[in-house]
């Protein structure tokens, strides 16, 4: 066994920097009296039935996992904190306090038809949603919208597939290569190859790509998992697809108005509404936008109207918060909330992780945000953390301490790295920080570097 | 040219059976003063830009089509009636008159998370939707639910792909064959082969299938496009998938409780909410249900919560209409409305189409519905109509008369057949009937059989 088991009574207190006793007490009380929120807290016997797998897989294949359910008597140590997927539940509290402004009322006869707007190239795009998207981009200044076609999708995951379909030559003997610089979003290879398509094939790390012929390069900026600001790396004539899911002012300074040929966005990481399963693409070329629309017609005959109508409302409320702010308004504007909350979490994480021992976190350049005016470092939705020292399996190490993360190998990187979500519920994040501080305070093999 | 152009002044009035002058007047008034509903009415110059294609393709690729827009001066003859796709707008009037009972109110903080129920195998399935589905099946008696897993999908189109993924052996050199007896649903080949999958391959008409090895047979009953009640036709050991989208009491007598291994349903054809993009599968085998869930995770990380919550409400209102009917309730129960309306339309169509000349329609067996008690013939959501006589291209012939349908070749059949929707808006259907009666009344080449 590569590392010792955690032994709480032996904890050396001197390194417990970031977490106060008060926080622990508050947490214990919350756990004892708290609700049954389900996600994020997993009981050991229900999660660790099999070998380590990523949590979404476990959740969908293990036959179920329970939440806290007031079972405090079984001890905090038996509960898993799930930071594996980027479930953006951090935003729930903001929308709760925003009251009725975002409430959507849908009559039973609304949106019966497959069609939203037959005059639009993307005939299943709700005009209200298209308008709200354009308005928000124009407000924030993160992406150009003039002379772009908007294509709506069931999350940016479906739009990613639609882009691949649109860009793949239909009649070539070899599938087109799809690449992205490592570490890359773990979903790309899975989604690209799940049907063993003859149209396109995942070829991994763009830095190592040296094939001739056509290719598609994904440029994710800020990058998932590591938050880096990116440009294309392949020196060729391939087609670029920009995944800008995280190019919003709570995560990174908005330093330029993106005007790439194909840009992907998702409601999930912008507003936090992951359950809505809604994304949009801004596409310059009409033929590509048509083919993307065609793909979504073939695989799902359009996109939920309910999701579009609700998202339209929520995006408009965000814009209203800046453009129509009333003097008696107490609610913070949306991106300000996100910027402060994620900033606070990153400061907590950096303090708890130690300064390179036992964990290491990436540094980011500081920039001024044209939208908010704040000068700050990128503070990504995920932390890309390295286990220093002897431990090679960082995911496994953290799992031993009941912290679920996604190991580096899923992202085309080394297993000394993990990706962990920074945008889950506050109480889960705080408990994660407490545990990390405990690990840090131990005479752990991680510090024997 | 195979057939003469229609010449209205020369119309012989004797066969104008089904349509009164009053109807025409009402229609003209409606068109002059009516709204801009968009779908179903296409202007000639905007629709016939290219060679005949199916309308969904045109709509998504032609750069847009307009609705009526009060342009009556350009004449009724320039307006196309679109019966190509099965847009179930017939149901809109029912839901309008049902009032607030079906209204859904969604607060901004609801359903933020990716997860609906982590204890369920299908972790993105909303419990309310699962309960409403089970309740409705138990009420109607069209499908068993006990010992089945429910998997929710973005329409039954996504569930169809999930089934193929779940049933395709992952590591065989040859893709598994997918077949269905012709005429089959035109979406099957498109969706099966759109990505040139190495897992599965469309092999067409199940009646002609004679390959050895594993296969998947789609059994659609009542069948799309021809309304026939079906059993599997391949005499082998392949896996059966039952697409029961139309096995509801407005379309066909419910004569047995289906208990097949894999059954697909869709809100679109049950309640008419096509825009909701929501379907569900009833699956006996746990491993298959898990793999289907996995597929939907890979391609869209779940299914819109908004769609599920709204559909849950609507299904529950339908069930309430039977189980909690109050004495002052004036609204007809849902399936009764559908049964009467579609029955009326079929009677109109049979009268207008002529008795085998110039058009022929299939006959259906009569049966007693265990749910409603009505004794009736299947009255499908689509009519599968044959052009008799010399005309080989029935779709082209009807298009000349400004009626858009989907030609037989899309369904693996002959182009003497077309599929046309019976569940569009009432005014469109009535105008279609008027035009069909006009054609019928002419000395047309169709009658020279």
């Amino acid at each position: 066994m590569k590392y010792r088991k955690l032994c709480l009574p032996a904890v050396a207190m001197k390194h417990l920097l970031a977490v106060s006793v008060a926080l622990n007490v508050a947490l214990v009380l919350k756990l004892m009296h708290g609700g049954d929120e389900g996600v994020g807290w997993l009981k050991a016997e229900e999660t660790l039935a099999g070998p380590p797998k990523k949590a979404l897989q476990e959740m969908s294949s293990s036959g179920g996992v329970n939440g806290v359910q007031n079972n405090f008597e079984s001890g905090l140590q038996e509960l898993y904190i799930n930071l594996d997927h980027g479930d953006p539940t951090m935003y729930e509290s903001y929308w709760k306090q925003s009251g009725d402004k975002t409430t959507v009322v849908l009559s039973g006869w609304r949106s019966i038809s497959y069609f939203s707007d037959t005059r639009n190239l993307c005939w299943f795009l709700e005009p209200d949603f298209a308008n709200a998207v354009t308005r928000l981009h124009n407000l924030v200044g993160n992406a150009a919208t003039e002379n772009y076609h908007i294509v709506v999708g069931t999350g940016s995951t479906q739009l990613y597939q639609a882009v691949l379909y649109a860009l793949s030559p239909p009649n070539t003997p070899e599938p087109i290569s799809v690449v992205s610089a490592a570490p890359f979003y773990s979903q790309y290879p899975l989604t690209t190859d799940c049907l063993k398509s003859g149209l396109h094939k995942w070829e991994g790390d763009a830095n190592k790509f040296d094939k001739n012929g056509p290719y598609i390069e994904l440029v994710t900026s800020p990058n998932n998992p590591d938050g880096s600001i990116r440009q294309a790396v392949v020196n060729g004539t391939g087609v670029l697809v920009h995944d800008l899911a995280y190019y919003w002012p709570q995560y990174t300074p908005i330093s330029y108005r993106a005007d790439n040929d194909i840009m992907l966005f998702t409601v999930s990481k912008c507003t936090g509404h992951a359950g809505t399963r809604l994304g949009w693409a801004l596409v310059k070329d009409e033929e590509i936008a048509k083919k993307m629309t065609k793909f979504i017609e073939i695989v799902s005959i359009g996109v939920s109207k309910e999701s579009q109508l609700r998202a339209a409302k929520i995006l408009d409320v965000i814009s209203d918060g800046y453009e129509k702010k009333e003097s008696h308004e107490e609610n913070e504007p949306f991106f300000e909330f996100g910027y402060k909350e994620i900033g606070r979490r990153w400061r907590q994480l950096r303090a708890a992780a130690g300064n390179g021992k036992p964990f290491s976190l990436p540094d980011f350049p500081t920039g001024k945000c044209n939208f908010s005016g704040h000068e700050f470092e990128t503070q990504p939705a995920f932390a890309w953390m390295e286990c220093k020292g002897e431990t090679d399996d960082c995911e496994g190490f953290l799992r031993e301490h009941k912290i679920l993360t996604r190991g580096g190998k899923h992202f085309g990187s080394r297993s000394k790295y993990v990706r962990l979500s920074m945008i889950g519920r506050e109480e889960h994040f705080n408990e994660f920080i407490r545990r990390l501080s405990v690990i840090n305070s131990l005479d752990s093999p991680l510090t024997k570097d």
Side-chain angles (χ1 to χ4, degrees), chain A:
Chain A
M1 193 161 147
K2 284 190 190 150
Y3 41 82
R4 294 195 224 168
K5 273 221 133 181
L6 199 66
C7 180
L8 277 176
V11 167
M13 295 302 285
K14 60 179 173 174
H15 290 117
L16 283 172
L17 301 171
V19 184
S20 69
V21 173
L23 173 65
N24 287 325
V25 171
L27 246 155
V28 165
L29 286 170
K30 186 141 197 167
L31 286 167
M32 288 178 77
H33 301 104
D36 172 14
E37 294 179 328
V39 180
W41 298 86
L42 314 178
K43 279 180 71 185
E45 65 272 25
E46 288 166 315
T47 308
L48 292 178
K53 289 184 289 183
K54 63 187 190 65
L56 269 177
Q57 284 173 322
E58 284 164 358
M59 288 193 163
S60 57
S61 63
S62 69
V65 285
N66 275 319
V68 175
Q69 295 177 313
N70 297 329
N71 53 358
F72 187 73
E73 59 275 43
S74 60
L76 207 58
Q77 292 96 302
E78 284 189 32
L79 299 172
Y80 278 75
I81 301 171
N82 194 335
L83 307 174
D84 176 349
H85 35 265
D87 205 24
T89 44
M90 178 192 92
Y91 295 102
E92 196 180 75
S93 62
Y94 180 84
W95 295 117
K96 271 191 175 159
Q97 74 186 17
S98 81
D100 291 341
K101 284 181 298 187
T102 51
T103 298
V104 166
V105 178
L106 293 170
S107 299
W109 56 268
R110 275 290 296 276
S111 304
I112 292 268
S113 173
Y114 288 108
F115 298 90
S116 294
D117 180 3
T118 54
R119 288 159 296 194
N120 194 311
L121 175 154
C122 184
W123 52 265
F124 46 78
L125 170 64
E126 284 289 313
D128 285 354
F129 180 63
N131 292 338
V133 160
T134 303
R135 181 181 172 204
L136 190 65
H137 279 308
N138 292 347
L139 171 74
V140 172
N142 61 339
T145 56
E146 211 173 330
N147 303 318
Y148 278 85
H149 301 279
I150 299 176
V151 180
V152 65
T154 310
S156 60
T157 304
Q158 188 181 55
L159 289 164
Y160 170 69
Q161 295 157 81
V163 165
L164 295 190
Y165 176 83
L167 298 178
S168 301
N171 297 313
T172 48
E174 287 294 307
I176 192 169
S177 301
V178 184
V179 297
S180 188
F184 44 71
Y185 179 29
S186 52
Q187 187 87 5
Y188 292 150
L190 289 175
T191 305
T192 310
D193 288 346
C194 68
L195 292 178
K196 295 190 177 180
S197 172
L199 294 182
H200 45 66
K201 187 171 188 302
W202 180 253
E203 293 280 359
D205 189 355
N207 287 304
K208 296 178 183 162
F209 182 69
D210 57 2
K211 280 193 178 177
N212 288 320
Y215 65 89
I216 298 166
E217 180 177 354
L218 276 303
V219 181
T220 311
S221 184
N223 189 44
N224 176 356
D226 70 354
S228 58
I229 305 300
R230 289 195 158 185
Q231 306 284 336
V233 302
V234 183
N235 186 12
T237 56
V239 189
L240 302 182
V241 178
H242 283 75
D243 184 341
L244 303 184
Y246 302 95
Y247 191 44
W248 293 102
Q250 68 269 54
Y251 303 119
T252 194
I254 302 302
S255 57
Y256 68 103
R257 189 183 297 269
D259 60 354
N260 309 101
D261 290 348
I262 303 168
M263 301 184 278
L264 306 183
F265 292 92
T266 168
V267 165
S268 169
K269 296 310 186 295
C270 171
T271 73
H273 289 81
T276 303
R277 310 309 314 122
L278 199 70
W280 66 95
L282 300 177
V283 183
K284 264 189 194 158
D285 184 85
E286 183 172 321
E287 286 309 309
I288 292 172
K290 279 182 188 173
K291 283 185 193 159
M292 289 175 68
T293 300
K294 185 73 197 164
F295 177 81
I296 294 172
E297 177 196 321
I298 293 173
V299 301
S300 61
I301 321 186
V303 175
S304 163
K305 310 296 182 219
E306 290 83 355
S307 291
Q308 293 186 63
L309 294 173
R310 182 157 180 247
K313 177 81 159 192
I314 288 163
L315 295 186
D316 274 338
V317 168
I318 293 176
S319 295
D320 286 347
Y322 291 93
E323 294 177 346
K324 297 182 183 172
K325 194 164 168 60
E326 291 165 31
S327 56
H328 59 83
E329 187 84 67
E330 287 178 16
N331 226 5
E332 214 168 15
F334 175 73
F335 293 116
E336 196 63 17
F337 160 82
Y339 162 76
K340 284 186 187 163
E341 178 64 20
I342 301 172
R344 186 184 67 73
R345 292 183 180 199
W346 268 95
R347 287 189 291 278
Q348 280 187 279
L349 176 63
R350 288 196 188 275
N355 197 6
K357 274 185 185 179
F359 301 107
S360 164
L361 291 162
D363 289 321
F364 301 104
T366 297
K368 185 170 178 189
C369 180
N370 297 336
F371 172 68
S372 67
H374 296 309
E375 185 135 342
F376 68 110
E377 285 177 18
T378 301
Q379 43 187 49
F382 294 105
W384 182 241
M385 196 168 77
E386 183 184 359
C387 276
K388 308 298 282 188
E390 294 164 14
T391 302
D392 286 328
D393 177 9
C394 194
E395 179 187 337
F397 174 77
L398 290 168
R399 180 181 286 265
E400 280 282 316
H401 295 295
K402 311 250 187 293
I403 299 166
L404 300 180
T405 60
R406 196 173 295 183
K409 292 217 163 166
H410 293 286
F411 306 91
S413 183
R414 290 184 299 144
S415 55
K416 280 190 82 67
Y417 290 88
V418 294
R419 187 195 77 170
L420 55 91
S421 171
M422 298 292 289
I423 53 176
R425 288 203 171 81
E426 187 180 6
E427 59 269 33
H428 300 178
F429 186 80
N430 288 344
E431 170 62 11
F432 156 64
I433 292 293
R434 195 193 63 79
R435 292 187 195 183
L436 208 62
S437 303
V438 169
I439 296 170
N440 195 351
S441 71
L442 293 176
D443 185 19
S444 125
L446 292 175
T447 57
K448 288 183 187 161
D449 199 12

